[in-house]
Amino acid sequence: RGKRAMSTTDPIADFLTRGHRPTQSEREWIVELDGKIEAPWQSIESSAASIGLPQGINGAIANANRIYFRDYRAMRAQVFDQLEGRSALTMTREHWMAITNIALASLMQVSRDALGAAGLQADANLVRARHDLAVALVLMAFSIGLAALAVGIVLTRVIHPLHTMTLAIRGERDMARIAELAERNDEIGQFAQALNGFRQDAAERERLEREVLRNQLAKEAAETASRIKSEFLANMSHEL
């Protein structure tokens, strides 16, 4: 029952109120309570030493070590001596509660500083994340712009000229455009020059074929006229 009562109030304040020394079980309970506090505190100190916490948190930890774990517990040992009768009882409940509040406030300050540092770090991470997002969006837009530029260059410099030459081969496009493309100093220009030469050769061959056909027709016409003339003279001679 004594442990249940002490679990909701300060045990030293209870001892001072009753004005008698703590029993053995009450001392053991206080030792157990100290162990429950020291175990997580040692973990906090180890983390602070290994990860390099902000200076404010390190200062709060050092302050709690001084106020709570050194001064407060030294004062508690003096109160125990007074309760045991080894020295005069000069500590009052009110004075002890004021000392306890200061000691506990030093522990709570560590928590407040840690939460504050966590908030600042979260804000810094948010700013950095926004900056990284902005950079990523800019790079994405730049990449899209480069891709669009590459597509435009390919369409203008390659696809459209090839389409023009294809129409010229089919006879659906004037060769003047091919002559313009032939002035380029790249593969498209060389292809246009070859196509232009091919079309010129084709035109020359077509001209020669027309010339041969015209000569052939003229020859046949002359031969026909000569034959008709010969037949006419032969008929005339026969009649005479």
Side-chain angles (χ1 to χ4, degrees):
R1 188 172 57 196
K3 288 186 180 182
R4 286 196 297 273
M6 287 187 294
S7 65
T8 57
T9 60
D10 189 322
I12 308 300
D14 291 339
F15 300 152
L16 292 171
T17 300
R18 294 198 306 267
H20 66 82
R21 64 184 182 182
T23 64
Q24 181 63 31
S25 62
E26 290 171 338
R27 282 183 173 274
E28 292 176 355
W29 185 82
I30 292 174
V31 171
E32 180 182 352
L33 182 62
D34 287 345
K36 291 180 179 179
I37 295 175
E38 289 177 355
W41 184 255
Q42 290 175 357
S43 176
I44 291 174
E45 288 185 311
S46 299
S47 298
S50 61
I51 65 177
L53 295 175
Q55 188 62 33
I57 300 178
N58 289 328
I61 292 174
N63 193 52
N65 277 325
R66 179 178 57 83
I67 295 176
Y68 184 88
F69 291 97
R70 189 191 70 183
D71 298 345
Y72 177 73
R73 288 190 174 180
M75 182 63 69
R76 188 180 66 180
Q78 294 178 11
V79 172
F80 277 146
D81 289 341
Q82 294 177 11
L83 291 172
E84 292 289 345
R86 289 190 285 270
S87 61
L89 183 59
T90 59
M91 180 66 66
T92 64
R93 175 187 175 88
E94 291 74 16
H95 187 198
W96 176 255
M97 292 301 296
I99 294 174
T100 300
N101 289 338
I102 294 173
L104 293 178
S106 68
L107 292 177
M108 294 303 298
Q109 187 61 41
V110 176
S111 177
R112 286 192 291 269
D113 288 348
L115 290 176
L120 292 176
Q121 186 63 39
D123 292 340
N125 291 339
L126 179 60
V127 171
R128 185 163 54 251
R130 287 175 176 173
H131 176 266
D132 293 342
L133 177 61
V135 172
L137 292 176
V138 170
L139 292 176
M140 185 181 300
F142 182 69
S143 299
I144 293 174
L146 287 178
L149 178 61
V151 171
I153 292 175
V154 171
L155 287 175
T156 304
R157 301 288 295 177
V158 178
I159 303 300
H160 289 168
L162 288 176
H163 181 65
T164 299
M165 286 185 283
T166 301
L167 295 178
I169 293 174
R170 295 175 179 174
E172 301 175 7
R173 180 63 61 87
D174 187 7
M175 290 300 295
R177 176 57 179 160
I178 303 302
E180 295 177 2
L181 294 175
E183 296 178 358
R184 290 174 46 171
N185 296 322
D186 55 7
E187 287 77 5
I188 296 296
Q190 294 176 4
F191 185 39
Q193 292 173 9
L195 178 60
N196 196 26
F198 172 77
R199 289 298 299 268
Q200 290 177 355
D201 292 342
E204 181 64 18
R205 184 170 58 254
E206 185 176 346
R207 186 188 67 80
L208 292 176
E209 288 177 353
R210 287 197 301 269
E211 184 70 20
V212 170
L213 179 60
R214 186 166 56 252
N215 293 335
Q216 183 68 27
L217 292 176
K219 179 182 178 182
E220 291 178 356
E223 290 176 350
T224 301
S226 177
R227 186 177 66 255
I228 293 173
K229 181 180 179 180
S230 298
E231 290 177 354
F232 175 76
L233 292 176
N235 291 331
M236 288 296 294
S237 299
H238 179 72
E239 289 295 331
L240 291 175

